[in-house]
């Protein structure tokens, strides 16, 4: 049925961003080829168009970058905090100035909707640098000793789901505390980190303080294992996180890990239903569900399950999937064919295991990597779709009868990153929040982020916190 | 030989402490504990002190189960209550100061005066951590001024079950220095006592059992560290491990095993000379086994924007 | 405009018992799901970021024009003023005959006859406020007399106000009975029930008032009089839209929505239409089920229409002052 009010295409202009045909590694303030000359292509997931060819870092490049960071560490850490802070303030301002360009770039390279890069990613990136800029000369007041010291060289490996935001979460606190960094962006989304290198140039940041090594897992492993790295920070899968934890065992390297999740979004029968539905939708379909803290398990009280599900399906029918650059797009492309294959495989497992699959009515584009918003009902704790992180727009719906059962089910996972609770009863919010084993609990809201708010997991979702005063601890001794 | 000397003293049978009870090792094994080589006085050096239970992997498993069972109640107790319990431990230890002075002297080969100083410091350490229970959340937590209409609070919570490889040298003060911060914040502990000096730890269990520390909150295992600790490090229901008493090689091995479920790991001091247990303990050991939970809630407004009331 | 059936006085059979007593009605209204203000406002704001361009914009502008209850509710209103407003209602843009007519002209009861005369045969409806508008502070007999006078003068639609004092004091059944009485007095005229959302203050109250109004027989539920500090907002209109959506799902009865006051620009109007589109859906994208209570909005819509047609920005000298 055609809609009466069809929104005409409203594409954001691509012309605000100028992507070069090739990019190098950023080491010691210079763009340089990889030692072995290898390159890889970065592809737009929505169209499969090759955006650029990027140098691929190897072990020799990791050596070079760590050496550059080591050389830069002395002078950088010796700078008065106020001066370091001013560099970060400059970076924050330049990000704000170039935010539309960066938003479009991120949308192209990642596949996420421009609405999200414009309204969420980029404002949060700039805010993160602003926040930590202000800490640089106040570290003695942060509660980690009167005269805390930086650790040295930080090796940082980030994922593809929020490329520039994860960069900000890693680099801003590291630099504020006086460390230097070698950062490896994900192989499917290297471009915004390379644009960030250009921002460092514009800000006049001393050479070697920030080094960017686009590359694959081998480069990440080499960085983590490098003997002259003092600190490892990783955001990504739990499996890789465990490998890293083993790799740094027995060393003096400090480690923080921000890993997977299987967040429960608990909806009680006295919830503000319309807002809860929005929270459920935002919780699992934000960024195509490729969010470690996604509310991928909906736990709804049995007495309102039908009503909530009906509202949810109706609401999912209004989601607009398609061109990520269209300002009205709610659901963009999945980041890579590998990710799409994983989502597809798990969704098929859900069906095979007997859960009932429902897919939002929407047409998928013919090129690019797409997955329609999907929910599974009749799911139990034993289903794979209830246990494994899908990292895609797939919601598993379970029911519960009592608050205690809700909490038990919510906690029944090796993960512990996020959870949501929806009820108008204040004491229940506090009681449930208290018992949830999760690093972030959103009550009557979901997927809210702020540079002042610590973020990180319990259990196999990792350790350490990013954001807020707590986020400094990982970069100080 | 006087009349009094003719009396044969009654020896103590040392046992494990698991779930508030004092079992023998399920394996039935014991090992001989002797006085420290440097132990002075007529007591003699290398003298037999006791047969300590040699805990098995299954004892370790039972201890973890007991600790897990205790977590909810202990972490759910008020911080004030936990402080009172820890202070009670100090009181009970004070009352048995002479006993511990003798045990520590034997275990560590210290003079009576030096041993007494260790016991006093251990008592004071309980008092220090008793006072921290209801303050750590205020120091380690935060109200976060987020840029939006949200109440946002970060509070520390205990991580759960913590395996503690106790220091090998300092049998009482070292043990108390690593154990007290773990339980002060609401965790439950499974302690691997100093391998060659387990008796003060096993005796401490008697104090804990009579100090209102709920059963299972502290579990004490004696035996071969290299046998017990790997079981704990690999146990999927242990949330964290303190490697203080592990040598470098064992520590690395334990850290690798701990990665399987991403335990929080507190590494041994990088300083080969070990840790100075008489120094100001700071808050590092308190916060090492805390998780930070951040809760958001909309604050909203009293009424629709701009309405009269 | 073809006359469409009005709502029945009182609730459909499936909800008959909820108005059986003050207690039953209170329990029902207080049992409705709560509204979290932050989430509500965030949703309304997010829908406000939809980018409506080209063909979609042309559709929305015309739809918005057709949904206007072109309103004048001033003490200084005169027959001349009303007649000129009616002329504009019939032919909003004399330079472009493709411009749709507005839905209605909304006046005080004493000028309803003037409006009816000026609009005769045009299809534009005559709407009259009634029931001691805007405060609603009068005896029920006065309110009913006010209503009958408006009908007698030729009003097709009655815009009544609820007794906010009674509502805030918790006398829901009293409010319900008053609406029901006006509903009966209004006969075949469509009844719009104004809550004065700015005075109800909370979104929970607005949701309860919405259901109260629908149970009593409203054809439209309407945010405000335009006479208080806060009138229609995207957020309070979103609450009304959720209410009519849920009411139809529960009873099968469709009720219209009318935000009024404070909507002055085409851009704002389009945002409200996005709210309608993505909350209540297609069935409300029609001036039988959605209205804008506005006056200056029309000229901005007309200027935007001219811009779309000619490619240049228009100016106030190219639309008529009313």
């Amino acid at each position: 049925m055609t809609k009466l009010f069809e929104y005409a295409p409203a594409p954001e202009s691509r012309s605000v961003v100028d992507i070069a045909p090739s990019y190098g590694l950023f080491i010691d303030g210079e763009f340089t080829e990889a030692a072995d000359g290898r390159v890889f292509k970065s592809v737009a997931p929505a169209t499969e168009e090759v955006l650029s060819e990027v140098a691929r870092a190897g072990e020799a490049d990791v050596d070079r970058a760590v050496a550059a960071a080591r050389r830069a560490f002395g002078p950088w850490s010796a700078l008065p905090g106020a001066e370091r802070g001013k560099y970060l303030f400059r970076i924050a301002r330049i990000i704000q100035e170039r935010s539309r360009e960066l938003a479009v770039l991120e949308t192209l390279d990642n596949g996420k909707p421009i609405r999200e890069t414009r309204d969420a990613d980029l404002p949060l990136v700039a805010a993160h640098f602003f926040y930590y800029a202000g800490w640089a000369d106040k570290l003695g007041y942060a509660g980690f000793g009167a005269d805390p010291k930086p650790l040295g060289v930080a090796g940082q490996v980030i994922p593809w789901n929020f490329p520039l935001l994860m960069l900000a979460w890693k680099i801003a606190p590291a630099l504020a505390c006086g460390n230097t960094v070698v950062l490896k962006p994900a192989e499917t989304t290297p471009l915004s980190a390379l644009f960030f290198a250009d921002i460092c140039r514009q800000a006049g940041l001393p050479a070697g303080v920030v080094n960017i090594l686009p590359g694959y897992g081998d480069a990440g492993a080499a960085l983590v294992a490098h003997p002259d790295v003092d600190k490892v920070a990783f955001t990504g899968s739990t499996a890789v996180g465990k490998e890293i934890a083993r790799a740094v065992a027995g060393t003096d390297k400090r480690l923080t890990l921000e890993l997977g999740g299987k967040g429960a979004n608990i909806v009680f029968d006295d919830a503000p239903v319309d807002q809860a539905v929005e929270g459920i939708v935002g919780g699992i379909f934000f960024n195509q569900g490729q969010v470690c803290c996604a509310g991928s398990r909906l736990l709804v009280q049995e007495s309102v399950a039908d009503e909530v599900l009906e509202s949810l399906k109706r609401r999912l029918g209004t989601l607009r999937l398609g061109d990520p650059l269209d300002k009205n797009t709610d659901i963009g492309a999945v980041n890579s064919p590998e990710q799409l294959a994983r989502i597809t495989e798990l969704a098929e497992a859900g069906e095979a295991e007997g859960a009932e699959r429902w897919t939002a009515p929407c047409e998928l584009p013919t090129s690019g990597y797409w997955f329609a918003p999907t929910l599974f009902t009749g799911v139990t704790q034993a289903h794979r779709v209830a246990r494994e992180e899908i990292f895609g727009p797939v919601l598993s719906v379970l029911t519960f009868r009592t608050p205690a059962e809700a909490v038990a089910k919510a906690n029944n996972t090796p993960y512990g990153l996020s959870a949501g609770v929806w009820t108008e009863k204040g004491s229940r919010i506090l009681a449930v929040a208290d018992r949830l084993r999760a690093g972030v609990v959103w009550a009557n809201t979901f997927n809210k982020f702020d540079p002042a708010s610590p973020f990180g997991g319990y259990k196999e979702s990792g350790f350490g916190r990013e954001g807020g005063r707590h986020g400094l601890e990982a970069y100080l001794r | 030989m006087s009349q009094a000397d003719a009396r044969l003293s009654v020896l103590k049978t040392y046992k494990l402490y698991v779930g508030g009870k004092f079992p023998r090792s399920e394996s039935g094994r014991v090992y001989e504990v002797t006085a420290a080589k440097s132990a002075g006085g007529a007591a003699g050096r290398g003298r037999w002190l006791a047969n300590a239970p040699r805990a098995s992997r299954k004892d370790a498993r039972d201890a973890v189960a007991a600790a897990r069972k205790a977590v909810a109640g202990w972490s759910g107790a008020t911080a004030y209550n936990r402080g009172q319990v820890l202070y009670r431990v100090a009181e009970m230890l004070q009352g048995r100061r002479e006993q511990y002075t003798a045990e520590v002297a034997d275990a560590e080969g210290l003079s009576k005066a030096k041993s007494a100083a260790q016991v006093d410091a251990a008592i004071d350490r309980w008092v220090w951590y008793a006072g921290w229970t209801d303050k750590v959340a205020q120091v380690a937590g935060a109200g976060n001024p987020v840029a939006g209409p949200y109440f946002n609070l970060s509070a520390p919570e205990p991580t759960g079950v913590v395996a503690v490889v106790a220091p090998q040298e300092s049998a009482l003060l070292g043990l108390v220095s690593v154990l007290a911060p773990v339980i002060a914040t609401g965790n439950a502990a499974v302690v691997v006592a100093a391998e060659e000096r387990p008796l003060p730890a096993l005796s401490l269990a008697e104090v804990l059992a009579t100090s209102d520390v709920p059963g299972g909150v502290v579990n004490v295992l004696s035996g071969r560290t290299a046998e017990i600790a790997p079981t704990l490090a690999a146990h999927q229901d242990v949330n964290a491990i303190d490697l203080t008493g592990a040598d470098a090689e064992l520590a690395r091995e334990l850290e690798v095993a701990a990665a399987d479920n991403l335990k929080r790991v507190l590494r041994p001091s990088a300083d080969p000379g070990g840790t100075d247990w008489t120094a100001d303990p700071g808050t590092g050991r308190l916060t090492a086994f805390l998780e930070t939970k951040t809760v958001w809630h909309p604050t909203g407004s009293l009424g629709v924007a701009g309405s009269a009331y | 405009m073809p006359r469409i059936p009005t709502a029945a006085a009182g609730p459909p059979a499936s909800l008959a018992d909820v108005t059986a007593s003050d207690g039953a009605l209170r329990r029902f209204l207080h049992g409705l799901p709560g509204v979290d203000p932050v989430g509500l406002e965030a949703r309304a704001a997010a829908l406000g970021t939809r980018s409506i361009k080209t063909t979609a914009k042309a559709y929305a502008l015309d739809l918005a024009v057709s949904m206007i209850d072109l309103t004048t509710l001033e003490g200084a209103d005169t027959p001349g003023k009303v007649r000129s407003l009616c002329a504009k209602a019939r032919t909003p843009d004399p330079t472009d005959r493709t411009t749709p007519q507005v839905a209605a002209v909304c006046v005080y009861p004493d000028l309803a006859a003037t409006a009816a005369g000026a609009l005769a045969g045009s299809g534009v409806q005559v709407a009259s406020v009634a029931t001691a508008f805007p405060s609603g502070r009068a005896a029920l007999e006065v309110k009913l007399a006010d209503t009958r006078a408006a009908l007698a003068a030729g009003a097709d639609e009655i815009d009544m106000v609820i007794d906010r004092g009674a509502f805030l004091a918790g006398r829901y059944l009293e409010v319900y009975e008053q609406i029901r009485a006006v509903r009966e007095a209004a006969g075949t005229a469509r009844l719009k029930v104004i809550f004065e959302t700015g005075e109800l203050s909370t979104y929970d109250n607005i949701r309860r008032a919405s259901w109260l109004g629908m149970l009593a027989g409203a054809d439209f539920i309407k945010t405000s009089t335009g006479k208080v500090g806060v009138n229609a907002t995207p957020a309070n209109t979103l609450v009304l839209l959720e209410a009519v959506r849920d009411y139809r799902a529960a009873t099968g009865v469709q009720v219209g929505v009318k935000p009024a006051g404070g909507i002055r620009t085409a851009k704002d109007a389009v945002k409200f239409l996005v709210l309608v589109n993505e909350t209540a859906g297609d069935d409300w994208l029609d001036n039988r089920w959605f209205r804008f209570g506005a006056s200056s909005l029309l000229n901005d819509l007309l200027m935007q229409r001219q811009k779309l047609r000619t490619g240049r920005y228009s100016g106030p000298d190219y639309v008529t002052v009313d």
Side-chain angles (χ1 to χ4, degrees), chain B residues 181-258:
Chain B
V182 167
I183 65 169
T185 53
N187 293 295
V190 177
V191 176
V192 184
E195 181 167 331
E196 294 181 10
R197 301 174 175 80
L199 303 187
L202 296 173
S203 289
L204 180 67
E206 295 160 16
V207 163
L208 299 172
T210 52
S211 303
D212 307 327
V213 179
V217 170
V218 178
N219 305 275
V220 182
L221 303 174
S222 57
R224 304 293 180 221
T225 304
E227 182 185 358
I228 308 166
T231 302
L232 297 173
H235 199 299
Q236 294 287 99
D237 202 28
V238 172
N239 300 97
I241 186 163
D242 178 346
L243 302 179
T244 301
D247 62 34
E249 194 184 329
L250 179 62
R252 199 194 68 79
E253 181 196 321
L254 296 176
E255 190 175 346
V256 169

Side-chain angles (χ1 to χ4, degrees), chain B residues 16-34:
Chain B
L16 305 177
Y17 182 51
V18 175
K21 295 191 162 59
F22 292 91
R24 293 186 168 86
S25 168
E26 61 80 33
S27 67
R29 300 176 305 178
V30 292
Y31 67 113
E32 189 171 298
V33 178
T34 56

